[in-house]
């Protein structure tokens, strides 16, 4: 089942787009609730990706003493947001498949009429899990596979096995076929970061992603830390990098467009119930509040949230400068 467009959800979406349009004229007001909510099923990961805060620290994400979102917290979130939200995303910092309750969470969100998305490294995927994910009503799954060979893949997904990612795509494709699910109801996306370590495989990936089991391919630029002197993961062709070399010999972020719809249309809720403006708040520095303190819709409209949006419009927030949406 695709997301149900109820009267309250449509009305909320129209208010969101109107408020966003007004904000671009300088009038920042919020009379709506989030259109999408990203929940963090797990704040831990089995891989050690060098540009990921969880991978770099080998610890649960910042401020998280509880590595997995509980069903009680999830149901509290779902019972509120199902009234006005259209989409629920099951990912933030960690690996969602590590939460043993993930399948139940997806099933309950699906039953509530929400469009559901999971993003995963797929290292924990099994054939049985793929069947259950499809039967649970998942709308879309993003499988991160940054390379076709182990050498290219493992250069970034440290500790990962490219064959497990390949198998996951195959299991998902077979499950989709077995249960006769259309692309409209369930989509498999292969996502690959554009890195120097895999750039010789981009064209092959474009040619073969469908034969691997994916419905679509997303090649994304990568956020890098300590990039000013260059970076070993930075693509050799600057067209596929977020950074370019300046006259001073240093690398700088490319200019970004002003005004991000995502901070007007959604929020992230961490495994411990912190409400954040977006997925780029990886250090939890801009928290609007906690689910235990107030409803998400109320936190979404509070003074902290409004101040963040004003600063984002003025291009004053560092995380917005790092983003490449």
């Amino acid at each position: 089942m695709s997301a149900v467009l109820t009267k309250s959800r449509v009305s909320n979406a129209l208010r969101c787009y109107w408020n966003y349009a007004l904000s671009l004229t300088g009038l920042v007001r919020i009379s709506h609730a989030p259109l999408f909510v990203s929940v963090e099923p797990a704040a831990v990961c089995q891989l050690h990706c060098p540009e990921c805060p969880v991978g770099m620290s080998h610890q649960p994400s910042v401020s998280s003493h509880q590595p997995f979102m509980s069903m009680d917290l999830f149901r509290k979130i779902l019972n509120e947001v199902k009234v006005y939200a259209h989409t629920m995303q099951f990912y933030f910092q960690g690996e969602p498949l590590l939460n043993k309750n993930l399948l139940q969470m997806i099933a309950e969100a699906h039953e509530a009429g929400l469009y559901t998305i999971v993003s995963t490294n797929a290292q924990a995927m099994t054939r049985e899990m793929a069947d259950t994910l499809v039967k649970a009503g998942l709308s879309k799954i993003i499988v991160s596979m940054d390379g076709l060979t182990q050498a290219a893949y493992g250069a970034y997904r440290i500790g990962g096995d490219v064959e497990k990612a390949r198998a996951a795509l195959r299991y998902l494709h077979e499950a989709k076929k077995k249960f006769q699910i259309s692309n409209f109801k369930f989509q498999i996306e292969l996502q690959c970061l554009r890195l120097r370590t895999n750039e010789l495989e981009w064209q092959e990936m474009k040619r073969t992603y469908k034969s691997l089991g994916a419905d679509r391919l997303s090649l994304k630029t990568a956020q890098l830390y300590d990039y000013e002197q260059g970076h070993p993961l930075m693509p050799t062709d600057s067209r596929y990098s977020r950074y370019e070399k300046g006259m001073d010999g240093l690398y700088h972020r490319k200019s970004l467009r002003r005004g991000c719809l995502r901070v007007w249309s959604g929020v992230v809720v961490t495994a411990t119930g912190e409400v954040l403006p977006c997925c780029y708040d990886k250090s939890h520095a801009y928290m609007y509040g906690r689910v235990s303190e107030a409803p998400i819709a109320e936190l979404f409209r509070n003074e902290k949230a409004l101040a963040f949006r004003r600063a984002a419009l003025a291009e004053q927030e560092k995380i917005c400068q790092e983003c490449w949406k």
Side-chain angles (χ1 to χ4, degrees), residues 119-166:
S119 181
T120 174
N121 61 40
Q123 296 296 289
M125 184 72 72
T126 63
R127 191 182 302 275
E128 294 72 24
M129 186 184 292
D131 284 357
T132 308
L133 279 168
V134 173
K135 287 193 291 185
L138 183 64
S139 306
K140 179 179 179 179
I141 189 165
I142 302 167
V143 175
S144 296
M145 194 173 88
D146 305 312
L148 293 170
T149 62
Q150 183 60 32
Y153 175 86
Y156 185 78
R157 299 284 165 178
I158 297 172
D161 184 345
V162 71
E163 291 306 320
K164 288 183 178 180
R166 284 174 171 267

Side-chain angles (χ1 to χ4, degrees), residues 130-316:
D131 284 357
T132 308
L133 279 168
V134 173
K135 287 193 291 185
L138 183 64
S139 306
K140 179 179 179 179
I141 189 165
I142 302 167
V143 175
S144 296
M145 194 173 88
D146 305 312
L148 293 170
T149 62
Q150 183 60 32
Y153 175 86
Y156 185 78
R157 299 284 165 178
I158 297 172
D161 184 345
V162 71
E163 291 306 320
K164 288 183 178 180
R166 284 174 171 267
L169 289 167
R170 186 170 65 252
Y171 297 152
L172 290 162
H173 177 74
E174 290 172 354
K176 182 175 178 177
K177 196 171 179 181
K178 181 195 305 184
F179 300 113
Q180 300 181 327
I181 307 296
S182 68
N183 284 348
F184 178 74
K185 291 188 175 181
F186 176 60
Q187 187 173 72
I188 304 164
E189 178 178 321
L190 191 164
Q191 181 175 284
C192 175
L193 292 176
R194 291 186 184 267
L195 304 167
R196 186 176 304 179
T197 49
N198 63 23
E199 61 187 3
L200 296 180
E201 299 181 356
W202 296 346
Q203 293 306 315
E204 181 66 15
M205 191 168 279
K206 288 179 182 179
R207 288 192 294 268
T208 62
Y209 74 91
K210 288 189 177 180
S211 66
L212 293 172
D215 301 309
R216 70 184 303 267
L217 171 66
S218 175
L219 289 163
K220 296 186 65 176
T221 59
Q223 180 191 7
L224 303 172
Y225 297 92
D226 300 323
Y227 55 81
E228 288 189 352
Q229 301 293 335
H231 196 289
L233 291 173
M234 194 179 291
T236 55
D237 189 334
S238 64
R239 290 179 300 171
Y240 305 112
S241 173
R242 300 184 185 190
Y243 315 97
E244 58 189 354
K245 200 169 189 178
M247 296 295 291
D248 57 2
L250 299 177
Y251 284 87
H252 303 269
R253 287 183 299 269
K254 294 177 181 177
S255 59
L256 306 177
R257 63 184 176 84
R258 178 173 171 267
C260 177
L261 176 60
R262 292 181 73 84
V263 297
W264 266 260
S265 58
V267 290
V268 170
V269 184
T270 71
T272 54
E274 297 169 303
V275 179
L276 310 178
C278 73
C279 61
Y280 263 74
D281 189 7
K282 297 175 183 180
S283 63
H284 304 197
Y286 302 91
M287 182 176 69
Y288 296 163
R290 297 178 181 274
V291 171
S292 58
E293 298 169 348
I296 292 171
E298 188 176 309
L299 296 172
F300 183 72
R301 296 190 287 259
N302 68 17
E303 282 305 315
K304 287 183 180 179
L306 289 172
F308 177 85
R309 294 186 185 99
R310 291 190 187 101
L313 278 172
E315 301 179 343
Q316 295 172 344

Side-chain angles (χ1 to χ4, degrees), residues 17 67 105 152 191 283 323:
Y17 296 129
M105 292 176 177
Q191 181 175 284
S283 63
C323 182

Side-chain angles (χ1 to χ4, degrees), residues 1-69:
M1 177 176 65
S2 57
V4 176
L5 294 178
T6 63
K7 182 178 179 180
S8 61
R9 290 176 183 173
V10 172
S11 174
N12 185 49
L14 291 174
R15 290 198 304 276
C16 170
Y17 296 129
W18 173 246
N19 288 330
Y20 175 68
L22 286 177
S23 75
L24 296 179
T25 71
L27 179 58
V28 179
R29 50 166 289 186
I30 303 293
S31 61
H32 63 282
L35 305 191
F36 74 88
V37 176
S38 292
V39 296
E40 181 180 44
V44 290
C45 184
Q46 70 276 63
L47 303 187
H48 306 300
C49 303
E51 299 300 304
C52 168
V54 175
M56 290 188 293
S57 66
H58 313 315
Q59 296 292 328
S61 55
V62 180
S63 302
S64 175
H65 302 292
Q66 170 59 43
F68 301 109
M69 179 174 282

